[in-house]
Amino acid sequence: MPDVTADGLRVLFCGINPGLMTAASGHHFARPGNRFWPVLHLSGFTPRLLKPSEQGELPSYGLGITNVVARATARADELTAEEYVEGGRLLTTKVEELRPRWLAVVGVTAYRAAFGDRKAAVGPQDRTIGASRVWVLPNPSGLNAHWTAATMAEEFGRLRVAAEG
């Protein structure tokens, strides 16, 4: 699954890992029930609702996408603890090279597993990677019933405001 990146992004969004539909399509967050693209728009990051196939437009808005773990699975719970830790190590290297203003990990469980921070909660983190700040966002998967599109958009919006400052 190719990353959508550029140097000096405002925000590098980081999914957990590609789902099977995402891997097959080559487009991040491609599953129809995933709320990433609608929430990205509702929160003001993009001026219109982008389709997954339009992911190449993200760098023009100062945004990018990568994943903690590259291996595609039907569900994130198929990933091992070792894959998360290795993914966190590789992600750290990527962030140090790309220098985004913010790394936004979508999924608190993935963030906790990748960075060994069991008490992390949604929101800005104390951790930095080089000069990049870290924000944990709710997982936009349709399986995450704890968050609605509206409440997710509020949290994404908080990050947008911080990234603009």
Side-chain angles (χ1 to χ4, degrees), residues 4-117:
V4 177
T5 61
D7 286 337
L9 297 170
R10 284 188 304 138
V11 180
L12 176 61
F13 291 96
C14 182
I16 299 169
N17 75 308
L20 299 178
M21 183 176 287
T22 288
S25 74
H27 302 116
H28 292 269
F29 301 104
R31 187 171 189 79
N34 193 293
R35 299 169 288 180
F36 177 81
W37 297 103
V39 167
L40 201 64
H41 174 61
L42 287 170
S43 64
F45 271 113
T46 59
R48 65 178 180 85
L49 175 58
L50 298 176
K51 298 175 187 142
S53 61
E54 296 174 304
Q55 67 187 15
E57 293 184 29
L58 289 175
S60 70
Y61 303 119
L63 309 174
I65 304 178
T66 189
N67 287 292
V68 175
V69 177
R71 182 170 70 92
T73 60
R75 294 175 51 105
D77 61 9
E78 297 174 36
L79 299 172
T80 66
E82 293 78 17
E83 285 177 298
Y84 277 113
V85 171
E86 177 65 6
R89 189 186 67 72
L90 294 172
L91 180 59
T92 296
T93 300
K94 190 176 298 184
V95 169
E96 288 171 343
E97 292 171 1
L98 294 173
R99 303 175 316 278
R101 195 171 305 158
W102 288 90
L103 169 67
V105 179
V106 294
V108 69
T109 303
Y111 177 80
R112 289 173 180 163
F115 292 99
D117 187 349

